[in-house]
Each structure stands twice: as structure tokens, then as C-alpha cells.
Amino acid sequence: MSVRGVVVPLPQTNESQVHWQFVHHQNVDIQRTFVASIQDGYVLGGPSAGSYLNRHGDLLWDLGKEHWLYYDNFYSNTLLYLPKPRSIRGTVAVLAHPVAYDNYGHWLFDVLPKLGLLERAGFTPDKIDHYAIGYRGLKFQLETLKAAGISPDKIIPFDQKSYIQADQLLLPFLSTYQDQVHQPSTIDYVRRLAGIGNVPQSGERLLFISREDASFRRLIQEREIRPALESLGFEFITLAGVGLAQTADLFKQAKLVVGPTGSGLMSVAFCPSSAQVVEIVGPTYFTCHHWYLASECGLRHHYFMGEGPSIPEGGSLVGLTNDINVNPEALVAYVAALVKG
């Protein structure tokens, strides 16, 4: 399915050499995007957020190779016995994702761009009767769906227990999770929903995106480094409850964005191309998503590695919820050099 290979420029770092995670994932494929239409199709919930079947009960493997599905954990065991499906008349677009139901970053780049893909394929909201989405009616969901022209009465909440049959299923395919390098159209669509149009070429604001109000993956020394960074001109910001348009307006003025790895940093997509991003990570967990996104937007990406035992090369970075421990003096010095240089 790949269109072309891409070599992503390696990030800058405080480490003596770039972490093997980035080196291993530097060569990626930009996936061919498409919309599949299945007449009298079925979609089954599960830990993989969606397995698709045709009217004969055949599992359509190729249409499900998105996100966590590459772990081969299709709900194949349930094919021995399927419950009675919920039948829905008309056309249903499936935008399910295993964690985007309450995660801003995944919602922004794993769900919303599928609406743009449907639109480019000619399936505008007036031609779609329902949308099957992992959905909780959160503020960012309501705001973005409204901006996309989708009314709440068209939403069918989709979860692990869902099993739907529709006259026509629409399945927009964006990318495989492992090689999540977006098409330029993906970023353009999200920017359009945010209402910012063309992003300015430069900005002046210094932003620290805090996770102080989060329940996990917080920066342990945040309060310790705050006075020093504020003296450099940094604004400390939490994004919980902040609307998409307001967030986009903030980031489009940025010169330098710093913060622990998390959903908030996905908004660097709204930054000017001259901006720089410093992603603070711990040795037990981080992904390539922010690095990829920064590269796609023409930004210079840095990661600042925190302290603690490292994971051997090729191992699993499984410390998803671990808080991040850093040397505060070293972090401040690294950031200050970027501000002054």
C-alpha cells in the first residue's frame, strides 16, 4: 500500500547519540490513503477497535491494518460465534479508534483527518447518515465535529462491544500505526478545522505545555524549573478544556515549544515552520509521533532524555504512565541555549 519511502531527519538531543528508537524508525513509508465502501457490511468492536466483514462473514484483513491492529490481535476468536448485529439503514462511516474516545491527540490526528479523507472522496456529511465513533461527547469532540459540519444526532458511539451492520459501510484508511507519517492533506484538514488557514512563517512566544494537571507522565521537577524558564520568557500552559481554535491561535504564535511527551504537543501542527519543539521524555516510554509530526510541519524537533534505567535496544518502551525525572539544571541549560541561540 505504500506510496513512497521517507527518511525522517533525526532529532537533536541532550544525549551523546540519538536513541535507537528514532534510528530504527527513521525510514518509513507514507501510506496510500483511500476510502473503502462495503455494501451490506459489518464492523465488530474489540480491543483492536474494529474488524470488518463482508455480507458472507469473511474477515477483511487488509482494511483493518491501522493503528494497534498490527499486533495481530484481531478479534478472530469471536468469529466462532457472533452476536446479533445492530442493523442500521443507510450509509455509516466508521471512524473508530481504540483510545481516541478520550484522548485529544489521537482524536486530532487519527479520527478527524478521516473526515477530510471522506470529503475528498466525495462523501460529504450530507451523503452520510451516521458516523460510528469512539465518542464521549467531550468538549473537543463536540467543537471539532461541529466545525466539520456533523450534527450530534448522526453519531453512533462505538466501543469494544459494538457490532454493526449497515446498508453501506465507509472505511477511510489513513495509515498504519507503526509508520504514522501523515499525508500533507491530513495536517491541512486539521488546520482548516481549527480555523487558522495559513500558518505564519514565524512566532515570538515561548510556550511550556504542562502536564501538571494530568494523572500520569508528569514532569517531576516542573515546579523546580518553572522560575528559571519563566525568567527566560516562557508561559506555562495547561490545555485541558481549551478549545481547538484557541489552542491553534496560541501555537501559531510560538517560537519555541517545550513540554513532556503527550497529547498537548500534537498541537505543534499549528506552529510556524521556523519554530522548534523540545519534547521531554523518559527512558521507559516515548513514541515517534511528535518527531514525525514536527518533521512534516518543517519544525526542528529536539528530545530531552530524562534520567533512569534505559531500555536495551529493540526492547519494548512500556512505561506509558511513568512520570519523567530530569536533571533540572541540565534541562534549563538546554532550553536556555535554544532561546539565546
Side-chain angles (χ1 to χ4, degrees):
M1 286 186 199
S2 62
V3 175
R4 59 187 175 91
V6 174
V7 180
V8 184
L10 290 173
Q12 304 294 310
T13 180
N14 65 315
E15 296 192 285
S16 58
Q17 60 183 25
V18 177
H19 194 279
W20 57 262
Q21 168 89 330
F22 296 107
V23 176
H24 283 199
H25 294 96
Q26 186 180 15
N27 294 276
V28 295
D29 290 332
I30 293 183
Q31 302 294 316
R32 176 175 290 113
T33 59
F34 62 87
V35 176
S37 174
I38 307 175
Q39 300 302 313
D40 192 19
Y42 296 75
V43 57
L44 177 69
S48 303
S51 300
Y52 309 113
L53 302 91
N54 63 18
R55 68 182 67 184
H56 305 296
D58 300 319
L59 182 64
L60 304 176
W61 173 268
D62 285 343
L63 296 182
K65 290 183 179 178
E66 258 198 334
H67 313 299
W68 280 266
L69 298 181
Y70 72 92
Y71 283 142
D72 297 334
N73 63 349
F74 265 109
Y75 230 23
S76 55
N77 59 320
T78 65
L79 300 183
L80 299 174
Y81 172 75
L82 290 172
K84 183 178 180 180
R86 175 186 175 186
S87 294
I88 300 174
R89 298 296 302 271
T91 298
V92 177
V94 182
L95 309 180
H97 184 278
V99 298
Y101 61 90
D102 66 352
N103 184 290
Y104 171 81
H106 285 294
W107 178 268
L108 205 63
F109 283 99
D110 293 322
V111 173
L112 293 183
K114 292 187 176 184
L115 297 173
L117 182 56
L118 287 165
E119 182 181 282
R120 294 194 301 278
F123 296 105
T124 49
D126 60 299
K127 297 179 181 178
I128 298 174
D129 299 296
H130 298 283
Y131 296 83
I133 307 177
Y135 176 77
R136 287 188 172 177
L138 301 177
K139 180 179 179 180
F140 65 81
Q141 295 173 330
L142 292 169
E143 177 191 8
T144 51
L145 291 175
K146 181 179 180 181
I150 299 171
S151 60
D153 60 354
K154 285 192 172 186
I155 301 301
I156 300 174
F158 189 90
D159 58 29
Q160 292 194 6
K161 297 180 180 180
S162 298
Y163 184 34
I164 291 173
Q165 178 271 326
D167 295 336
Q168 181 184 32
L169 280 182
L170 298 177
L171 311 176
F173 185 102
L174 281 176
S175 68
T176 57
Y177 179 79
Q178 183 73 359
D179 293 336
Q180 194 176 12
V181 175
H182 300 291
Q183 297 276 5
S185 56
T186 291
I187 298 170
D188 291 342
Y189 182 76
V190 174
R191 288 174 173 172
R192 195 181 92 194
L193 285 188
I196 63 171
N198 295 326
V199 178
Q201 293 185 349
S202 63
E204 296 298 328
R205 296 177 75 168
L206 307 178
L207 307 178
F208 188 98
I209 306 305
S210 172
R211 289 182 59 86
E212 190 175 37
D213 59 341
S215 60
F216 62 92
R217 212 185 312 124
R218 292 159 296 194
L219 178 60
I220 296 172
Q221 292 83 6
E222 180 173 328
R223 293 188 180 183
E224 187 174 348
I225 67 169
R226 182 165 182 162
L229 291 187
E230 286 182 332
S231 69
L232 293 172
F234 275 88
E235 306 169 56
F236 276 65
I237 296 164
T238 56
L239 293 174
V242 180
L244 179 62
Q246 186 178 351
T247 299
D249 185 65
L250 176 68
F251 277 78
K252 76 178 185 181
Q253 302 175 59
K255 177 180 180 180
L256 177 59
V257 178
V258 180
T261 185
S263 286
L265 287 187
M266 296 302 284
S267 292
V268 299
F270 308 123
C271 285
S273 59
S274 61
Q276 299 189 70
V277 182
V278 179
E279 179 184 5
I280 305 170
V281 303
T284 59
Y285 177 79
F286 58 95
T287 72
C288 296
H289 297 169
H290 301 89
W291 168 46
Y292 285 164
L293 182 61
S295 176
E296 292 154 18
C297 296
L299 313 178
R300 181 179 297 179
H301 178 270
H302 304 251
Y303 75 89
F304 187 94
M305 179 60 72
E307 300 185 328
S310 60
I311 304 296
E313 183 169 351
S316 298
L317 299 175
V318 295
L320 174 68
T321 61
N322 292 354
D323 289 338
I324 302 171
N325 181 47
V326 299
N327 178 313
E329 290 81 9
L331 175 58
V332 170
Y334 189 89
V335 173
L338 296 178
V339 173
K340 297 173 183 178

